[in-house]
Amino acid sequence: MDHVSAIKTGTVAAFEEVYYQFHEKLYYYFLKRTAAADVAEELVQLTFIKLWRYRSHLNEEFPLSQQLFRIARTTLIDVLRRKAQQRSVPMAIHQLPEMEETTMALQERENLDQVHRAMETLPPERKKIFQYRIQGLTNREIAARLSLSVKTVENQVNRAIKQIREAIVLVLLFVCS
C-alpha cells in the first residue's frame, strides 16, 4: 500500500514514516521563506496536522510530496495573512475579555501537562539529564554530577527535546482528528 492510501485510511505508521521523510525538507522550505527557525518549525507542525486532519481528501493520483507541499504552501499563506491582519488591527492585552485569559491559562496548563507526560516516556538516564537541565544546571555541571562527557549530555538533552516534541505532535494529531 502506498503512503497516500495508507494515510488516507488512517495508518499511523505510514504517517510517521512520511513525517520523518519530509520533516527536514519542509523545515528548510519554510526557513527559506520566513528566515525564522521557530516559525519554520511551527509551520512544519501545522502542515503535518493538516495532512492528518484532512487525510480523507488526499488524491491517490498525485504523489504525496506534491500534495504535502501544496498543504505547506497554503499553510504559509494562511499564517502570513493572519499575521498581516493582526498588524492591521492592533489590540492591547488589557482589551481582551477576561474569559479569554482564563482560556489561555487553561491552554498553558494543558500544554505543560503534555510536556510532563511526554517526559515520562523518556529513558531513565535521558530523563534524569533533562530534569537537571530544566532545574537550571549547565551541561558541564550535569556531566560532572553523572560522570559523563559534556558532549553526551548535550546529545541526550537534544534527543529529549526532539522526543518530547514528537510525542506532543502525535498527541495533537490524535486530538485534532
Side-chain angles (χ1 to χ4, degrees):
M1 186 185 304
D2 68 345
H3 285 121
V4 174
S5 57
I7 291 173
K8 210 171 168 178
T9 61
T11 305
V12 175
F15 177 82
E16 287 176 353
E17 192 175 316
V18 168
Y19 178 86
Y20 291 115
Q21 181 180 355
F22 287 98
H23 182 277
E24 189 174 5
K25 292 173 187 170
L26 284 170
Y27 175 79
Y28 287 111
Y29 170 82
F30 288 127
L31 187 62
K32 183 178 177 185
R33 284 152 181 81
T34 64
D38 58 332
V39 174
E41 187 60 44
E42 180 181 340
L43 288 166
V44 170
Q45 303 307 327
L46 287 171
T47 299
F48 280 109
I49 289 169
K50 285 183 179 183
L51 174 64
W52 185 257
R53 183 181 289 163
Y54 301 111
R55 65 187 178 272
S56 63
H57 300 289
L58 291 175
N59 187 333
E60 295 181 38
E61 295 179 20
F62 295 101
L64 182 63
S65 60
Q66 182 181 352
Q67 295 180 75
L68 187 59
F69 277 92
R70 186 177 343 113
I71 293 169
R73 184 174 161 272
T74 58
T75 301
L76 177 62
I77 291 168
D78 291 346
V79 168
L80 292 175
R81 279 186 187 143
R82 247 184 269 126
K83 288 194 185 291
Q85 188 177 21
Q86 288 171 349
R87 272 186 253 126
S88 66
V89 185
M91 182 184 291
I93 265 296
H94 67 275
Q95 292 175 316
L96 294 174
E98 196 174 305
M99 178 84 157
E100 200 167 307
E101 290 176 18
T102 305
T103 304
M104 288 170 30
L106 287 172
Q107 184 60 47
E108 286 178 20
R109 180 67 189 152
E110 178 59 31
N111 292 345
L112 277 175
D113 288 345
Q114 286 178 354
V115 170
H116 287 290
R117 284 192 297 271
M119 281 177 56
E120 292 303 315
T121 66
L122 295 174
E125 189 71 14
R126 187 175 298 163
K127 181 178 173 182
K128 183 187 297 183
I129 291 170
F130 193 69
Q131 286 173 332
Y132 280 142
R133 195 68 180 100
I134 289 174
Q135 293 169 6
L137 271 65
T138 65
N139 290 346
R140 188 173 304 282
E141 291 169 333
I142 298 168
R145 271 194 191 185
L146 299 176
S147 302
L148 299 170
S149 73
V150 175
K151 191 67 178 169
T152 299
V153 172
E154 289 172 6
N155 287 338
Q156 290 300 313
V157 168
N158 288 335
R159 287 180 181 159
I161 291 169
K162 182 178 180 182
Q163 188 175 342
I164 289 169
R165 181 184 300 136
E166 290 170 355
I168 290 171
V169 167
L170 288 176
V171 167
L172 287 174
L173 289 173
F174 286 112
V175 169
C176 295
S177 61

